[in-house]
Each structure stands twice: as structure tokens, then as C-alpha cells.
Amino acid sequence: MYNKVTMRSSMPHSGVRGAVERVKGFIPGIAVPYIPLIIIGMLLIIKPYYLFPTHGDLDFHLVRAREIMINPSYGLLWDYLVYYPMGRPLGHPPLLHVILAGLWVLGGVRFAHSIMCILQILITIFTASWVASGWYGRRAGLIAGTLVLASPRPDTLSVIMPAAYIPVLMVLTVYLLSEDRLSAAVTGTLALWTHFIALITVVPAVLADGVRRNLKVLLLLLPSFILWWAYFLTARGAPSEPVNGGYFSIGWLVFLILLYFGVPGLYLIRGRREFRPLVAYILTVLLAEILFDDISRGLQYVALPLAVVGGYTGSRLIDNPSGAVRLVTGILIISSATVFVEQLLLTDIWWSDADIPFENRYYPLKEYIDIHTSPDDAVWASGSVADKVAWMTGRRVSNGRYGPPPGFRETHQDINIYSEDGGFVVRDKKNSTVAVIDP
């Protein structure tokens, strides 16, 4: 069992520390760590950016959800709507896509997209605050919930992707190893069913905490570990995500704030139980992403654990006798959330826009395909819109975006959709233009 680290001082309540104490006077103590969660939750209600498709790999994930909706037994193990007739192996284990498909069935694609976007952000903030509060005290939880927004790529926090849940599940697993090993085995298993990066991060983190005391956890992880390693090693032609390799933006400058708190935080907890598993996870995932030439994604994976231990650093600094140190600490903590909050506030989407179809400019294309094809038909589409056609209509597409399986031969169909000059041109097998669709 971990002992919470409490920070007490007889110094007068002034400056940053005084502000924190005054906040505690107005807000019940148990709620203090979750102030960032409450604020971001309110902003997400005011600025519903999720009413329309976001960017990133969203098309890929919506295709996977649509496949599971149409044929669950097949869709759980094969990506079959694109690159018809061969299809291809999965790009990720299907847990997130199953949840997305379930929400889609329950309330439609906009409902599913909105819920998943909101949950992804709020669960990340909650995990940072809850774990830091449990390990280092409520004030550390408040700071960690703010620091976790200092991502080098804020888009990976706001756009649906399985990778965003790996830091959450890994930090929860490390936390639960000392609280409830069965629950730790559950969160570790969920990670293995969420993203392939878990295959090289979950077990090393558990091993770093100790083999003997976690033997039952390792045994419970073993079936899922073997299953997905076997799938990954035998699958050929699984889709590959576009690699950004990292890019410079203001987000990188804000991420330096997280490093400022997080790296010393790792040093401060070097004698505590969570140190080894957290460091094992951080080093493993960074090495993997360096090998894949996607360091920005690697840093995104470690933002949450750094925020948790950074909460401890921030809490210690606020107790510093120097007023200047406390002031700078407070400014840096608040600044860490500025990029994420700014992007949210600048979103030009309002609840009144809900009358516009979720597919937005692609809706006329969806209507045309729905009217002129049957559910069993296959169509061909340009790579840029192939995945969109698949998830919007449920039609099989003899093309794709994220890489064909070995031996795939692209074939045109009765309906072939070309993306040209901002619109869509439909041609038949003889390459004669059948329709021109303006978004």
C-alpha cells in the first residue's frame, strides 16, 4: 500500500500557495484534484468540436466500427470493407472499435463520435488527477490534471484513437499493482486488447514491479499476450498508419513545461514502488517509437505518467519558501494547459450546427451511393475518400488509404468515385462520366 505524501508548512498562506488554500476553502477537499476535469468538461459542452468528423486516423477507426456492426464475428478479426475482395489483417486489437460500434448502434455515428471524443479527454485528465492524488496528495492531483494537457501533439488527445488509451491503462495498471492486483490484471488486459504497442509495454512494466509478487497478474495477462503476439507475427499486410516523425509547433514549447516538472518528478520518486514500472514503460515506449521514427507519438505516450509525477514536483515547489519560485511554478502550471484550451475555444462549431449531417461535405456523396447501390455491392473510390465511402455507406471498396495487403490488385467497379477539383466525379467501368457531385 502506498503512503500518501502530504505537504504541510507553517508558512503564511500567500501567493500561489495561498490561492490554492483559498480554493480549498470554497471547494470540498475531495473535489480539488478534479478542478481541471470540471473546467474542461464545461468547455467541451460549450464548444462541441466533436459534432463533425475530426482528422487523424478517424476514417480508419470508423471503418473498423462499421465492419463490426455489419458482421461482428468477421469484423473482430479482419478488416474487410476496404481493399475488396481480399481485405487485410487488423491494424489494432478491436476493443475500442467494439465500443465505438456499440455506441453507433445505440445512437448513431455522431453520438458515438461525440461520446468517444469526450470520454477520451476526460478519462485522461481524471486518471492523472486520481492517480497523482492517491500517490502524492490532492494538490499534486490538481497539478497533474492540468499538466497532462501539455501534450506535444494535442490532436492525439482530442481525436479518437486507441493509442490515446494506452497511457491511461498503463498508469492505472501501475497504480493498481499495489492496490488490487486483479484490477491491475484487468487494466493490463484491456491495454493488450486496445493497441499493439501494449504488447511491448504492459509485461515489462509489471516485471519491473517484481516477478514474484505479480506472478498471478502475469498469468492472467498471458492468454491475451500470446493471442495478439501470434496474430501480429502471423498477419501480413496489416494497415500502416502515416508516420509524422514529429513536427515543431507551439505544443512542443508547452511540452517543455511538462518535462520541467516530470523529469525531476521521476527523480523525486526514485525510492518509491511506482518508480521502476513507470520508468520501464517510459523507456520502452520511447525506444519503440524512435525505432519507428515517430518520436512525437512516443512523447505523447509518456505525457500522462510525466504529468502524474510532475504533480508531485509542482506540489513540492509550491511549498518552496521563495515567493518567486511559487509564482513561476503557478504560471507554468497554468500555461501548460493553454494550447489545448486555446484550440478548444477557437473551434467554430456550435450546437446549432447539429442540423448539418455528420458527414458534412461528403453527405451528397453518401446519398448518391446509398441510392444507386445495394448493401452487397462493391465500389471503387480514390484513396483519399475510399475509407470515408466505406464507413459512410457500409459498401465494400476495392481500394483503400492505409496500405494494401500483399498481392492486392486494384479493380474498378460499376461505380467508380474520383475526387477531383474539390468535388466528386462518378464514372462507370468504361470510364464514362455518370454523375458529378458538388459538396
Side-chain angles (χ1 to χ4, degrees):
M1 182 71 68
Y2 291 113
N3 294 318
K4 292 183 180 179
V5 179
T6 56
M7 313 293 176
R8 301 181 184 274
S9 174
S10 59
M11 295 182 63
H13 292 163
S14 61
V16 175
R17 184 176 53 193
V20 172
E21 296 300 331
R22 286 192 290 273
V23 168
K24 290 181 179 179
F26 291 104
I27 300 175
I30 195 172
V32 168
Y34 308 109
I35 292 174
L37 178 74
I38 295 168
I39 294 173
I40 296 300
M42 294 173 62
L43 289 178
L44 287 173
I45 294 174
I46 297 171
K47 303 293 287 187
Y49 78 92
Y50 40 79
L51 290 180
F52 298 100
T54 47
H55 50 283
D57 303 327
L58 178 65
D59 289 334
F60 168 77
H61 299 304
L62 290 177
V63 170
R64 291 289 303 117
R66 189 70 183 244
E67 290 170 337
I68 293 170
M69 289 169 57
I70 296 172
N71 189 338
S73 60
Y74 193 25
L76 284 172
L77 295 172
W78 200 253
D79 189 1
Y80 64 87
L81 280 182
V82 292
Y83 294 109
Y84 172 81
M86 293 179 62
R88 61 189 175 187
L90 304 184
H92 300 296
L95 177 60
L96 181 137
H97 302 129
V98 170
I99 297 172
L100 185 59
L103 291 171
W104 193 336
V105 171
L106 185 64
V109 63
R110 171 172 278 158
F111 174 78
H113 181 262
S114 300
I115 295 297
M116 292 300 290
C117 285
I118 294 170
L119 284 180
Q120 185 167 293
I121 295 170
L122 297 186
I123 288 175
T124 301
I125 300 172
F126 172 82
T127 300
S129 296
W130 184 62
V131 173
S133 179
W135 278 342
Y136 315 120
R138 290 172 177 170
R139 188 165 62 188
L142 169 63
I143 297 169
T146 306
L147 290 177
V148 77
L149 298 173
S151 163
R153 288 174 53 183
D155 61 304
T156 58
L157 187 59
S158 57
V159 178
I160 296 175
M161 57 178 62
Y165 290 90
I166 293 302
V168 171
L169 293 169
M170 287 301 307
V171 167
L172 288 176
T173 299
V174 173
Y175 179 79
L176 292 169
L177 283 173
S178 65
E179 303 286 339
D180 182 349
R181 289 191 179 90
L182 178 59
S183 296
V186 170
T187 54
T189 300
L190 291 176
L192 291 170
W193 280 80
T194 299
H195 195 282
F196 278 128
I197 196 69
L199 291 174
I200 60 172
T201 54
V202 173
V203 171
V206 176
L207 289 174
D209 187 58
V211 177
R212 283 189 176 183
R213 60 184 169 194
N214 293 314
L215 187 58
K216 290 183 179 179
V217 176
L218 292 168
L219 290 175
L220 290 171
L221 292 173
L222 194 59
S224 296
F225 182 78
I226 293 175
L227 169 66
W228 289 112
W229 259 117
Y231 188 98
F232 179 75
L233 292 174
T234 57
R236 295 291 182 269
S240 57
E241 298 179 17
V243 174
N244 295 298
Y247 48 86
F248 181 82
S249 68
I250 188 65
W252 283 95
L253 296 179
V254 173
F255 184 68
L256 293 177
I257 298 176
L258 179 55
L259 293 178
Y260 173 80
F261 288 96
V263 174
L266 289 173
Y267 176 79
L268 291 173
I269 67 164
R270 64 194 183 281
R272 292 173 58 90
R273 180 174 171 179
E274 67 268 20
F275 174 73
R276 285 189 174 185
L278 286 180
V279 170
Y281 165 69
I282 290 171
L283 292 180
T284 303
V285 78
L286 284 178
L287 178 60
E289 293 302 332
I290 289 173
L291 293 175
F292 289 132
D293 193 27
D294 194 3
I295 187 62
S296 64
R297 175 66 66 89
L299 294 175
Q300 179 63 34
Y301 280 127
V302 304
L304 178 54
L306 287 179
V308 171
V309 298
Y312 182 28
T313 306
S315 188
R316 290 278 296 268
L317 288 172
I318 288 176
D319 271 337
N320 191 286
S322 169
V325 171
R326 295 197 299 270
L327 177 62
V328 171
T329 299
I331 292 173
L332 289 176
I333 292 170
I334 295 172
S335 299
S336 66
T338 53
V339 172
F340 181 85
V341 172
E342 180 188 30
Q343 288 187 356
L344 196 58
L345 292 175
L346 292 178
T347 302
D348 190 23
I349 298 176
W350 307 93
W351 285 106
S352 58
D353 297 323
D355 293 334
I356 303 172
F358 177 73
E359 297 81 2
N360 208 345
R361 65 182 295 267
Y362 296 95
Y363 185 73
L365 176 61
K366 167 184 159 54
E367 272 196 320
Y368 180 90
I369 297 172
D370 284 342
I371 293 171
H372 293 88
T373 64
S374 67
D376 295 329
D377 286 340
V379 301
W380 179 94
S382 298
S384 59
V385 295
D387 284 43
K388 291 183 185 297
V389 169
W391 71 256
M392 288 192 305
T393 67
R395 305 306 193 257
R396 293 166 296 176
V397 183
S398 57
N399 196 7
R401 177 185 176 190
Y402 293 98
F408 175 77
R409 296 187 64 181
E410 194 174 322
T411 56
H412 284 72
Q413 308 294 328
D414 291 334
I415 288 183
N416 304 280
I417 302 152
Y418 296 82
S419 179
E420 296 180 1
D421 300 324
F424 309 103
V425 178
V426 182
R427 298 189 176 100
D428 59 20
K429 276 189 174 181
K430 297 179 180 179
N431 204 34
S432 299
T433 299
V434 176
V436 177
I437 303 170
D438 293 320

